[in-house]
Amino acid sequence: MNRHTTIPLIPRREKIMTLLLALGVGLLFVISTLSTGYNPLDFLLNMENFWDFIFQDILPPKIADWKTIGEGVLQTICMAVGASLVASVCSLVLAFLGSNTTAPWPPLKKIVRLVASVQRNIPSMIWTFLLIMSFGIGNLVGVLALLITTCGFLIRSFIETIDEVGNESLEAMEAVGAGRLTTITQVIVPACLPGFLSWLLYSLEVNIRSSTLVGAVGGGGIGLVMMGYIKQFRYHSAIGVILLIAAIVILVDMLTNFLRKKVLA
């Protein structure tokens, strides 16, 4: 074995492309900075105020009212679970209408996909602002906002899961004269059930996080409690709620990951 290894030389063309890419990124940063009036040095120049805020106004965290916070946490979890379960049922029906494999009418497939795209691409916070105008502040608004965005996400995910079913099984059912409903219940649903459950658990995990943000803008739950503390300048209590939310999200993430592995095993 040679003691001297040859280091491959980077072609001149790749060097030029790398340099141009770096210059392009730098130019975009300069243009963005000038357009927004953002000065990267502002943070460094105000570090003293930042650390004073962290160690005097925020730390140490404090849980002021366990009863209020407990009710907020329970409401947040119930909002996420309720929105996920209702959305999964609605999405399952619509996914069969929007799948290439099971759609009974091609134009209906396009309509379902378009509706799902609109629901999915508008953030839940925007839906919350729109719904507040009709229903006011409260848990109902939070559940509806999560339900709308979760439906959009699950419809698309369920459609992709259905489309992944092999054509061999479907052709075999058609060969023996099975109808569309029989094919769906006997072939597609059993084959897709692990995927459906996995996506449902993932949406539940996402909704636990999203419900906090939705609550912060008026959708109820622990997010509304947290914003109340911030508006009252009770930052010690607010950071306590934030850390509690982080702990809950981590626990839910661990639980759903464990369940997804069991489902897909």
Side-chain angles (χ1 to χ4, degrees):
M1 183 176 179
N2 287 333
R3 296 176 58 186
H4 302 286
T5 58
T6 303
I7 300 176
L9 298 177
I10 300 176
R12 180 179 178 83
R13 180 182 177 85
E14 292 188 8
K15 290 182 179 179
I16 294 175
M17 293 299 295
T18 303
L19 178 61
L20 291 176
L21 181 61
L23 291 175
V25 171
L27 181 61
L28 286 175
F29 175 75
V30 172
I31 293 174
S32 301
T33 301
L34 294 176
S35 300
T36 59
Y38 164 69
N39 185 358
L41 296 178
D42 284 343
F43 178 74
L44 297 176
L45 295 175
N46 292 282
M47 284 293 290
E48 182 178 353
N49 295 333
F50 173 77
W51 292 119
D52 286 344
F53 177 73
I54 293 294
F55 289 105
Q56 295 181 14
D57 296 331
I58 290 183
L59 297 178
K62 182 174 64 174
I63 301 296
D65 187 350
W66 281 103
K67 181 180 179 181
T68 302
I69 293 174
E71 291 176 353
V73 169
L74 182 61
Q75 289 175 1
T76 296
I77 295 174
C78 290
M79 287 164 55
V81 172
S84 299
L85 293 178
V86 174
S88 65
V89 175
C90 298
S91 301
L92 187 61
V93 175
L94 292 173
F96 283 113
L97 299 178
S99 170
N100 293 323
T101 305
T102 58
W105 187 43
L108 180 60
K109 175 181 67 176
K110 295 181 180 180
I111 294 172
V112 170
R113 290 172 181 254
L114 177 61
V115 171
S117 179
V118 172
Q119 290 177 310
R120 185 177 69 254
N121 291 308
I122 298 178
S124 55
M125 292 181 66
I126 303 299
W127 286 115
T128 304
F129 284 125
L130 295 175
L131 292 168
I132 283 176
M133 299 177 188
S134 300
F135 300 100
I137 294 174
N139 295 336
L140 175 63
V141 169
V143 173
L144 291 176
L146 293 174
L147 176 61
I148 292 171
T149 52
T150 305
C151 272
F153 170 76
L154 286 180
I155 289 171
R156 185 64 182 179
S157 301
F158 287 174
I159 286 176
E160 293 177 355
T161 304
I162 295 171
D163 288 342
E164 289 174 358
V165 176
N167 291 326
E168 295 82 4
S169 301
L170 301 178
E171 291 172 357
M173 293 295 291
E174 291 177 358
V176 299
R180 184 182 299 273
L181 181 60
T182 303
T183 302
I184 290 175
T185 56
Q186 299 298 321
V187 177
I188 296 178
V189 171
C192 296
L193 188 58
F196 290 159
L197 292 176
S198 178
W199 284 119
L200 172 59
L201 290 172
Y202 178 75
S203 69
L204 176 61
E205 172 189 332
V206 171
N207 280 342
I208 291 291
R209 299 192 194 100
S210 300
S211 59
T212 302
L213 297 176
V214 166
V217 295
I222 191 63
L224 194 60
V225 176
M226 179 189 67
M227 285 304 298
Y229 288 142
I230 292 175
K231 291 178 180 179
Q232 298 170 13
F233 304 104
R234 297 169 61 182
Y235 298 122
H236 295 282
S237 299
I239 195 63
V241 172
I242 292 172
L243 293 177
L244 180 61
I245 293 170
I248 293 171
V249 170
I250 292 171
L251 290 174
V252 171
D253 180 52
M254 294 171 60
L255 177 61
T256 53
N257 283 335
F258 173 77
L259 292 176
R260 280 205 301 271
K261 290 178 181 178
K262 291 294 183 181
V263 167
L264 297 176

